[in-house]
Structures are given as C-alpha cells and as structure tokens.
Amino acid sequence: DLPPKNEMKVVCTLTREQASLYKAVVDEELRRIESSRGIERRGRVLALLMATKQICNHPAHYLGETGPLPGRSGKLARVAEMLEEALAAGDKALVFTQFREMGDKLVEHLVTRLGVEVLFLHGGTPKKARDEMVRRFQEPHGPRLFVLSVKAGGTGLNLTAANHVFHYDRWWNPAVEDQATDRA
C-alpha cells in the first residue's frame, strides 16, 4: 500500500575551491600510487577515493576545518536549497551521510541556514537518545529534518514521517542506500 518511490539524481557543480583542491589531491596521490606496489598501492587508491568523496562533500570535511561552510561546496548549497523547498511544502526529510564528521557539519549549516531543529543520529548515539529522536521525529509536530549516518540509520528504523530522503554522499554499496531509503 506504499506510494511509488520517485528517485532523482541531482548533479552539483564543484566550487572553484573544491575543484582546485580535488585536482591537487588527485595529482599528488596518482604520483604516489605510481611508485607504490602491492598492499600499499591498494591502500593509496582507497585513500584517494575517500579523499575525493570528502572534497566533494565540502573542503572543510577533507581539511578537517571548522571554519565557514557557506559558499565553499556546491553540494552543500544544493542540498540546503532542496531541504528549504521541502520544509516550505510542510514536508519532513531524512539526510543520510557516510561520515559522522560531515553529519556534524550538515547539522550546523542547516540549523543556521534554515533556522529549524535538526536531529542527528550516528553510531555513537546512545540507545535511549536514539529512541527519543525517532519518537520525536515521528510526531506530527516534531522536528522535520533528521540527519543520519548510513550505518546507524540504515537498519532497524522505520521513519515513516519522512517523505523525502537525501543521500548526501554515496555509500560504497548501493544496496545499503536502498535499505536506508526504504526506512522512510
């Protein structure tokens, strides 16, 4: 009896800062990969993939900065716009991220930009707090935005109050994302 699931991929342009950082990191790591062998080479390739994902999220994510967030990430700007539209329509939304650090940055930015309470569930959230967040989100007049780490929020939760699901960064395994999406 569920309504059809509509999926939409949104392409976001990197900011100039993101693009130059991305190129510098890729160029440097490719040089290192060329001169490495075996397990070290595989580790460097994996590290490069992780670094580029973080840069695409936000330069501050990759650099470990706490500094200003607005204007530095095309993806952050676009997800904030889409969430603003969802809230204006009276809807609730889930935002999944692979990284706890990015979840912290998302919450900080969305609270400031949208002026609403944003819940955040991650692997370090105690069970009692987790249950309370889920209960509050499910209430008709509860918080309307819920940021979740994919691993913490992808299984065992049913968040039927949400009618929008955003995957801020993609998980390595699409089946995990599908499972997380189907919680809504």
Side-chain angles (χ1 to χ4, degrees):
D1 294 340
L2 295 173
K5 179 169 57 172
N6 298 317
E7 295 185 36
M8 179 176 62
K9 291 185 181 180
V10 177
V11 178
C12 302
T13 304
L14 298 176
T15 63
R16 179 172 282 140
E17 178 186 8
Q18 282 177 293
S20 62
L21 183 58
Y22 190 102
K23 182 171 180 7
V25 168
V26 168
D27 290 348
E28 178 60 30
E29 275 305 311
L30 287 178
R31 277 194 290 281
R32 290 180 180 165
I33 289 168
E34 294 260 336
S35 64
S36 60
R37 299 283 175 257
I39 192 77
E40 179 188 358
R41 183 181 180 98
R42 291 180 186 150
R44 289 202 177 278
V45 169
L46 185 58
L48 176 58
L49 290 171
M50 187 69 72
T52 55
K53 286 180 79 164
Q54 292 174 339
I55 292 166
C56 288
N57 279 349
H58 197 288
H61 184 200
Y62 172 74
L63 298 169
E65 296 175 349
T66 58
L69 298 177
R72 299 177 64 197
S73 168
K75 186 189 290 191
L76 184 64
R78 185 64 184 122
V79 80
E81 289 169 0
M82 291 186 296
L83 287 168
E84 195 169 42
E85 293 168 9
L87 292 177
D91 294 339
K92 288 190 174 196
L94 306 176
V95 182
F96 287 100
T97 179
Q98 173 182 346
F99 304 98
R100 177 179 176 172
E101 301 83 11
M102 194 62 225
D104 289 330
K105 291 181 186 326
L106 280 165
V107 170
E108 173 190 337
H109 182 72
L110 296 172
V111 165
T112 301
R113 165 115 186 239
L114 304 175
V116 297
E117 180 182 8
V118 180
L119 302 173
F120 181 30
L121 175 66
H122 52 79
T125 306
K127 182 180 179 351
K128 186 176 179 177
R130 170 187 165 127
D131 293 346
E132 178 63 13
M133 281 189 260
V134 169
R135 183 194 65 73
R136 289 185 61 224
F137 184 77
Q138 290 294 98
E139 291 177 346
H141 300 293
R144 295 169 49 211
L145 293 181
F146 204 162
V147 174
L148 306 101
S149 71
V150 174
K151 287 178 98 173
T155 58
L157 291 179
N158 287 314
L159 298 165
T160 55
N163 43 4
H164 296 277
V165 177
F166 296 85
H167 289 276
Y168 189 76
D169 44 60
R170 305 307 304 261
W171 188 251
W172 306 106
N173 179 352
V176 173
E177 287 183 352
D178 290 342
Q179 187 177 38
T181 299
D182 291 342
R183 299 287 141 204

